[in-house]
Amino acid sequence: MRRSVLSLLAATTALTLAFAAPTRAAEDAVVIPAPAMDASPATGIQTAVIAGGCFWGVQGVFQHTAGVVNAVSGYAGGTKATADYETVSTGRTGHAESVEIKFDPKKISYGKILQIYFSVAHDPTQLNRQGPDTGTQYRSAIFTTSDEQKKVAEAYIAQLNSAKVFSKPIVTKVSALEGFYPAEAYHQDYLTLHPNQPYIAFNDIPKVENLKKLFADNYIEKPTLVSASKATN
């Protein structure tokens, strides 16, 4: 679905500038409780890697989240040799479109990141798809970087399923991170660079709006961009 979006981007840019953005998706976030178990207090920048459909929207949500130092779109679940957009898009590489989140645990906890992930960043009850995108590369997955992250994620999924906050069971898979590979440059900061692009306006801008509405204390207006991070390094 998004492959055609990318190829038609140049053609649609003029149209989206000339006309108002399309009606946005009536995408309702799900209000969910905070995790009963969270990671222990820590110092230093921590890493979380999550997958929830198209990485454009997931990256955009966490770029507007306070305490996030950097959020990079990329690929996890497969090998480095096949970690490119064209190959991953076949759905045969084992990769999921993912986002690597570097965060300051003194400002936001791992559990809070998971709460935002399950509540506004994607629908964790959709199996091997997310919205208009289908295939294993769009699956819901958490790639953990420690045993503690694994315990927190699995406990939270069990908590949410037990509370029946979603109409269907959560299908998110939890597995250890074996490697994260950043996506091509044109995928980075995509939501910020193309807010009126039809796919973004319809599917992803509502996620950021839901973040602002439901997690006001964690929302920042100015996004933390990959391009800005590179400029300061």
Side-chain angles (χ1 to χ4, degrees), residues 27 50 52 57-58 61-62 116-123 130 207:
E27 186 174 316
I50 55 177
V58 178
V61 166
F62 286 99
I116 292 170
Y117 165 71
F118 283 119
S119 174
V120 305
H122 84 308
D123 179 352
Q130 200 66 208
K207 297 178 181 181

Side-chain angles (χ1 to χ4, degrees), residues 3 17 51 62 69-70 94 124 148 173 188 202 209 215 225:
R3 295 174 64 120
L17 288 174
F62 286 99
V69 177
N70 201 13
E148 183 179 44
K173 298 297 183 183
Q188 307 301 338
F202 189 80
E209 293 174 344
F215 296 91
L225 302 180

Side-chain angles (χ1 to χ4, degrees), residues 139-219:
R139 67 187 182 273
S140 176
I142 299 171
F143 298 95
T144 58
T145 62
S146 67
D147 288 340
E148 183 179 44
Q149 283 192 0
K150 181 176 184 292
K151 291 176 182 177
V152 170
E154 290 179 341
Y156 195 27
I157 290 171
Q159 174 189 340
L160 295 176
N161 277 331
S162 178
K164 292 181 167 49
V165 294
F166 295 99
S167 59
K168 296 181 292 185
I170 292 171
V171 298
T172 309
K173 298 297 183 183
V174 179
S175 60
L177 178 68
E178 295 184 359
F180 175 82
Y181 310 101
E184 296 80 356
Y186 64 88
H187 285 300
Q188 307 301 338
D189 305 334
Y190 199 89
L191 181 146
T192 297
L193 295 174
H194 308 287
N196 292 324
Q197 198 259 18
Y199 181 99
I200 293 293
F202 189 80
N203 295 291
D204 294 334
I205 294 296
K207 297 178 181 181
V208 177
E209 293 174 344
N210 287 332
L211 173 70
K212 183 177 182 179
K213 179 170 63 176
L214 296 184
F215 296 91
D217 291 342
N218 302 102
Y219 174 80

